[in-house]
Each structure stands twice: as structure tokens, then as C-alpha cells.
Amino acid sequence: MAQNPAAHTALWPAPHASGAVDATVHVPGSKSVTNRALVLAALASEPGWLRRPLRSRDTLLMAGALRAMGVGIEEGVGPEGTGEAWRVLPTGLRGPATVDVGNAGTVMRFLPPVAALADGPIRFDGDPRSYERPLHGVIDALRALGARIDDDGRGALPLTVHGGGALEGGAVEIDASSSSQFVSALLLSGPRFNQGVEVRHIGSTLPSMPHIRMTVDMLRAVGAQVDTPESGGEPNVWRVTPGALLGRDLTVEPDLSNAQPFLAAALVTGGKVLIPDWPARTTQPGDRLREIFTEMGGSCELTEYGLVFTGSGAIHGIDVDLGDVGELTPGIAAVAALADSPSTLRGVAHLRLHETDRLAALTKEINELGGDVTETADGLHIRPRRLHGGVFHTYEDHRMATAGAIIGLAVEGVRIENVATTAKTLPDFPELWTGMLGA
Ligand SMILES: O=C(O)C1=C[C@@H](OP(=O)(O)O)[C@@H](O)[C@H](O)C1
Ligand SMILES: C=C(OP(=O)(O)O)C(=O)O
């Protein structure tokens, strides 16, 4: 998807909060749930509904890719009217087709296994950064499971999957220490492989476990049989039995990682924010914010209306392992830079391979505003200092843009370069942010 070059150089004056925020913020649907639901619906044996899907760059790329492979995704009428739902009509997956993955980890990892099931060649390409993000776990595993893939030997994009209409499947070993999405990708398509799939992670650490649980839960919800380490299986081994998937009617939860900047606003300004429809039970990593932001000085209450998060006026540093919830790191780092004591964020070495090298980017941008951040082997040390205004660069990373906006609440004169990059998962961010402040 082409991006507007002018948007990259544009500077967005991050609003400075004149007082405590007091707002209700309706956060759009989860990226991770929407893109899993699209894949599972496309692989099902009957039509399904997806209600309140996220419509952002990453999810529109996923929908576009599936459409290119022959899947019907129609606008439907949901509970709140037209545009609120997608009806997914699975058909025989076929090539030739070209998939633009943009810089979406979920699209570049989840779709090559789907393409291996298609009839015909599927070419994958994306943004320059997508060439640098690891994909070897998916490419090597698919080859071991019987797929034919042409790539340039780097274990990365661009590549062509020569779908043969079916895939043998079976047992495979992968090192998923650079991305949990390798495991999720193989499990999601696993029920459609002739022998199903058994994935054994043989690397060191495995990041983002809640996202693997999300994959397993969503597979089970559409009728798949999945054995996991948590259900009595071996550690680091997941097994999916071959079988047909049901078409379901699923309503997507709000994206709790995208709720983060709004909760942070309550923390930073000593205010209050209500996020409606916060799920009582969820596999989304953003749910950990209730605990993390409470330790950093706020308090929260899950009510029948949603999550009410209240700041106390004080912001404390934190020492925390974020390996399970890596995508929360930029927002936590931003709050930590404004705290009354130092922070250590650990367990997130793999963030160097995200949308940008997030550890380097956060260090550079916070320090250029006068901060004192150092990179460690697997995270950041953040010693709060008095910050000043300046340009906050975002490196085409949506979470860098929202991190800069959090700092801007407390520091006058922060200008965010390319705030439009939030369109990756939250196209309405600037409007939601100013709406929150004006409420
Ligand atoms: O499966 C998913 O939906 C995701 C898994 C995580 O990826 P990594 O394990 O690569 O960090 C997370 O950071 C990403 O935002 C979404
Ligand atoms: C790491 C992220 O995205 P992706 O799905 O592209 O990996 C993220 O959203 O923080």
C-alpha cells in the first residue's frame, strides 16, 4: 500500500495536557484478533461473520491478500449498522496472486502457510522493513512440511510460495525466539494440513506467549483440536489435529494494546479514562496493563461499563520483564521517562526486529528530548530527567508515535514526525487523542 511521502515529513504538535483528563475512549478492535479471525474464516468449510473488525492498514492488507487468493470478504450489516461487519465466504484458495504484506508481522507470517494450501503461485512482497524482519521459522518449517518456496536464501521476504492445493504437514522443529508469530502461523493453518501439524520450539526464549494462547483459543473456538503444553502436553510443543473448521460469528474485542496510550494519559495527568467493552477474560497482552500501570501509580476497576483507570498524580518507575507483552514496551518506556524513579524493562531483545529497532529508537528519541535512557542486551534502563520539547521521530512505527504523544502530554513542544503511521493499527489515533483531551 503506497504511503503519502508528505506525511513522513509532516510534524504533528503533540497536545500538551492542561489538566487531568476525564474521558471515555472507544478503542477500535484488536489487530491480532481481527487478523487471526480472517485467516480462520478463510480456511473454514462454511461462511462466517466478523463483527466490529479493526479496519487499519494491517487488517486491510490481510483482507486484501485473502481476497487476492479467492476468498470472499463482503461488507455486511452488523449490530451497529453497515460497515460494522465482514462476511467471509471461503472458497478454493488459488493463485496466481500477489500479496502486499506492508510491514504487518501477522500478514507476512500467517499467510505463507495459507498460500501453501492454495492452488498456484502466491508472491509475497512488502515495505522495505518487511525484508529485514525474520521469517525463517515459517519458510524452513513449510519446506520441511512439504511446501515449495522460492526465496533469495536469506530466510526473509520477498518470496513466492508455489501452492500445490494441499500440504502434507506433520512434525516440525522451529526456533521461534525471534517471533511467536512463527508458532501461531503454523498452528492457524495446521487443521487444513493432511496430517495436521506438531510444532516444537527448540530455541532459547519464546516471546509473546499470550499471543500463542490467543491462537490456540481462537482455533478451538472454530472447532480445532489443539494440544498444548498447558493442556498436559510436552513443554514447547503444540499439536493440531487435521479437521474442518466451522464458520463462526465473532465480535472482535477492543485492541487493549491500543488502549495503552489512553490509560497512560490518565496516569500521566492524574486523570481518569473509561475504556468501554474491556473484556473480563482475554488473551490479549494489553490486559497486563491493569497490573503494570497500577504498579506505576494508577488504580483500575473493571466495571459493567468497561475499565476505569485512574491516575494518582504520581508516576513510579518499574522493574519488569516484558517478554510476554513486548508490544507494550514503547508506551511503558514513555511513561517511565516521566516517572519519579528509574525503570528497567527486560526480556524484549526481540523488539530490535519489530516495525523498527524499538530499543534503539526509544533510546535515541527520549534522549534527544533530554532523557537518560540506555540500551541493555535485552531491554532498557530509563532514568527520568526533566525533558524538553523537540521532534520525536517515529521510524514508521505506530507505537513510537503513540509513545511520543504520551510524552507530549507532560512536556511542551513535542512534535511527532509522521503521526499518520498510527494507521498501521489505529487510523483514528489523532482524533481520538484530541477528543480525549477536549472531553
Ligand atoms: O501474533 C500476534 O498477533 C502478535 C505477536 C507478537 O509478535 P512477536 O512475538 O513477534 O513479538 C506481537 O508483538 C505482535 O504485535 C502481534
Ligand atoms: C510488533 C507489532 O506488530 P507486528 O504484528 O507487525 O509484528 C506491534 O504491533 O507492536
Side-chain angles (χ1 to χ4, degrees):
M1 192 191 283
Q3 297 194 350
N4 173 5
H8 289 247
T9 48
L11 294 178
W12 184 68
H16 184 252
S18 50
V21 301
D22 185 357
T24 296
V25 183
H26 290 269
V27 176
S30 157
K31 163 197 80 172
S32 293
V33 173
T34 300
N35 276 358
R36 280 169 175 74
L38 282 170
V39 170
L40 291 171
L43 294 172
S45 52
E46 54 190 1
W49 283 99
L50 194 50
R51 304 197 187 272
R52 295 198 209 160
L54 173 66
R55 289 163 194 271
S56 72
R57 186 172 188 230
D58 278 15
T59 62
L60 294 175
L61 285 170
M62 180 65 92
L66 291 168
R67 283 186 179 118
M69 287 191 256
V71 178
I73 301 176
E74 298 175 349
E75 295 296 333
V77 179
E80 283 144 36
T82 308
E84 292 293 334
W86 274 328
R87 176 138 175 90
V88 182
L89 304 159
T91 53
L93 296 161
R94 61 175 186 271
T98 299
V99 167
D100 176 7
V101 309
N103 188 11
T106 49
V107 182
M108 72 180 83
R109 275 85 180 235
F110 296 175
L111 286 189
V114 175
L117 292 164
D119 206 349
I122 315 285
R123 167 109 186 131
F124 287 83
D125 208 337
D127 293 359
R129 175 63 176 172
S130 72
Y131 289 24
E132 297 166 3
R133 297 189 69 185
L135 200 55
H136 55 86
V138 175
I139 297 173
D140 295 348
L142 284 177
R143 282 194 179 123
L145 296 172
R148 186 155 76 84
I149 300 175
D150 284 340
D151 67 340
D152 63 9
R154 292 181 309 116
L157 288 170
L159 57 81
T160 299
V161 179
H162 295 275
L167 192 75
E168 196 44 33
V172 71
E173 293 186 341
I174 61 169
D175 177 354
S177 48
S178 59
S179 176
S180 67
Q181 291 176 347
F182 298 167
V183 176
S184 289
L186 296 165
L187 299 184
L188 284 168
S189 290
R192 290 282 309 271
F193 301 165
N194 298 344
Q195 296 181 36
V197 74
E198 176 188 292
V199 179
R200 183 179 297 267
H201 164 63
I202 51 162
S204 50
T205 51
L206 182 56
S208 317
M209 274 304 296
H211 276 116
I212 296 181
R213 282 188 206 112
M214 179 186 288
T215 299
V216 171
D217 276 15
M218 291 185 68
L219 273 161
R220 288 180 176 152
V222 294
Q225 193 195 316
V226 192
D227 299 320
T228 70
E230 284 138 338
S231 63
E234 282 178 75
N236 291 321
V237 178
W238 292 262
R239 245 179 239 111
V240 182
T241 306
L245 298 179
L246 306 169
R248 288 294 200 204
D249 190 327
L250 176 92
T251 302
V252 179
E253 301 167 355
D255 193 307
L256 306 187
S257 297
N258 278 338
Q260 182 182 36
F262 306 101
L263 301 181
L267 191 52
V268 166
T269 67
K272 184 160 92 177
V273 166
L274 165 67
I275 311 285
D277 301 319
W278 192 283
R281 186 194 157 273
T282 179
T283 48
Q284 286 194 63
D287 200 36
R288 273 277 303 281
L289 288 168
R290 293 197 281 150
E291 173 198 325
I292 294 169
F293 278 173
T294 297
E295 196 178 329
M296 296 185 86
S299 61
C300 62
E301 195 189 350
L302 199 48
T303 71
E304 60 180 302
Y305 305 109
L307 184 77
V308 181
F309 187 81
T310 311
S312 62
I315 312 169
H316 309 308
I318 190 168
D319 183 334
V320 64
D321 187 326
L322 297 176
D324 267 356
V325 294
E327 66 180 21
L328 305 179
T329 306
I332 293 171
V335 174
L338 304 170
D340 58 15
S341 59
S343 291
T344 302
L345 312 185
R346 288 177 284 109
V348 284
H350 69 291
L351 261 64
R352 295 197 166 90
L353 299 167
H354 273 185
E355 279 80 338
T356 185
D357 176 342
R358 286 179 165 164
L359 301 185
L362 287 163
T363 302
K364 180 162 185 297
E365 296 309 313
I366 295 174
N367 287 351
E368 283 193 356
L369 300 182
D372 184 3
V373 181
T374 44
E375 275 186 65
T376 64
D378 74 337
L380 298 172
H381 278 310
I382 302 167
R383 286 160 299 267
R385 289 221 305 224
R386 193 179 173 78
L387 302 182
H388 53 71
V391 176
F392 197 89
H393 298 93
T394 54
Y395 311 90
E396 303 196 20
D397 183 348
H398 52 147
R399 300 199 201 278
M400 284 299 294
T402 48
I406 294 168
I407 294 175
L409 288 173
V411 179
E412 274 188 88
V414 174
R415 285 164 297 144
I416 298 185
E417 167 256 348
N418 189 20
V419 75
T421 200
T422 52
K424 185 173 193 286
T425 58
L426 189 54
D428 301 334
F429 175 72
E431 294 73 29
L432 287 170
W433 196 246
T434 47
M436 169 189 74
L437 291 166

